[in-house]
Amino acid sequence: MSWLTLVGWSWSALAYYLMFSERGRSILSNPSMIPMLAILLFGSLRHVFGEMQALSIIADGITPLDGQFGYGVPEVIAFATALGDDGRDAYAVFQLGADALAPPAFVCFLMAVYRATVQASVVQLGLTVLAFTYFTSVLIANTFMPVIMQNFPEAEAGLMPLYYQLIPKLDLIKYLTHGVAWLVILSAWVWQGFRWAQRRLSQPAT
């Protein structure tokens, strides 16, 4: 277990606290949190993308599974095969280390944006459901993908068939819920802007 793992897990626990506690909602409703969390997100992504580029080189140019949208079992097998023994070890370390930083960075930034800028409480509630689904799915996938890598090419013993089927679906859920959340936020902004313009136009001329 690396220090990055400990940082990522601690940050993930904090993200759940910010997601569900009244104190957390109050903190993330402050617009000043948006640029602060954007900086943390940028730093996390820069580190993660650097690691992914190194893993892609080891895998003969194949994009790591984290960067493949809608991958399935064949892609898992192809990537694991291309990595080789040492590369699979490196990917497992990446999943539990550097890649533990990006999910809490993403979800905290997402929550700060919608809590500070989206006015309708029912929309905020729906976005919290999406944030929870995104965050939980990616944490489960990142936790159990190393099991596949450490046991490859074994795919039939114990829970391995479940992991091979479940993890790609969780990563797909990760992308879809994150994308839908941002579409909802953009739609809320457009609606709020429209309502603001309506109120301005309805004001009597002075």
Side-chain angles (χ1 to χ4, degrees):
M1 182 182 297
S2 70
W3 67 272
L4 286 175
T5 306
L6 294 175
V7 171
W9 287 359
S10 299
W11 196 353
S12 296
L14 176 61
Y16 278 120
Y17 171 77
L18 293 171
M19 189 179 295
F20 292 114
S21 70
E22 189 62 38
R23 176 65 174 162
R25 286 190 287 271
S26 176
I27 292 171
L28 292 180
S29 296
N30 187 335
S32 67
M33 294 300 296
I34 296 176
M36 293 171 57
L37 289 168
I39 293 170
L40 288 175
L41 175 60
F42 175 78
S44 299
L45 289 180
R46 184 176 181 183
H47 184 68
V48 168
F49 285 149
E51 295 279 335
M52 288 179 65
Q53 288 177 344
L55 288 164
S56 182
I57 292 172
I58 296 172
D60 298 326
I62 298 177
T63 300
L65 299 172
D66 307 71
Q68 298 185 36
F69 177 77
Y71 71 87
V73 175
E75 287 78 17
V76 175
I77 294 172
F79 182 61
T81 301
L83 282 172
D85 290 339
D86 292 341
R88 287 192 293 273
D89 288 342
Y91 188 58
V93 170
F94 164 75
Q95 289 267 285
L96 295 173
D99 204 29
L101 302 177
F106 267 124
V107 80
C108 286
F109 178 69
L110 174 70
M111 290 191 295
V113 169
Y114 75 72
R115 285 182 174 163
T117 64
V118 174
Q119 297 169 357
S121 59
V122 67
V123 177
Q124 285 202 20
L125 178 60
L127 286 165
T128 298
V129 172
L130 289 170
F132 173 78
T133 305
Y134 156 77
F135 193 44
T136 303
S137 65
V138 69
L139 290 184
I140 295 172
N142 284 3
T143 299
F144 289 103
M145 179 60 83
V147 178
I148 291 179
M149 294 295 147
Q150 294 293 293
N151 289 277
F152 190 82
E154 177 58 64
E156 300 298 330
L159 294 175
M160 294 304 293
L162 175 63
Y163 295 152
Y164 272 87
Q165 294 298 324
L166 180 62
I167 292 174
K169 291 180 175 61
L170 289 172
D171 270 339
L172 180 61
I173 290 170
K174 169 189 74 176
Y175 280 113
L176 291 177
T177 51
H178 199 191
V180 169
W182 282 107
L183 284 175
V184 171
I185 290 170
L186 290 173
S187 299
W189 289 347
V190 170
W191 176 249
Q192 289 169 191
F194 173 73
R195 295 289 293 171
W196 177 84
Q198 270 192 326
R199 288 193 297 270
R200 293 281 294 180
L201 291 172
S202 64
Q203 290 177 353
T206 57

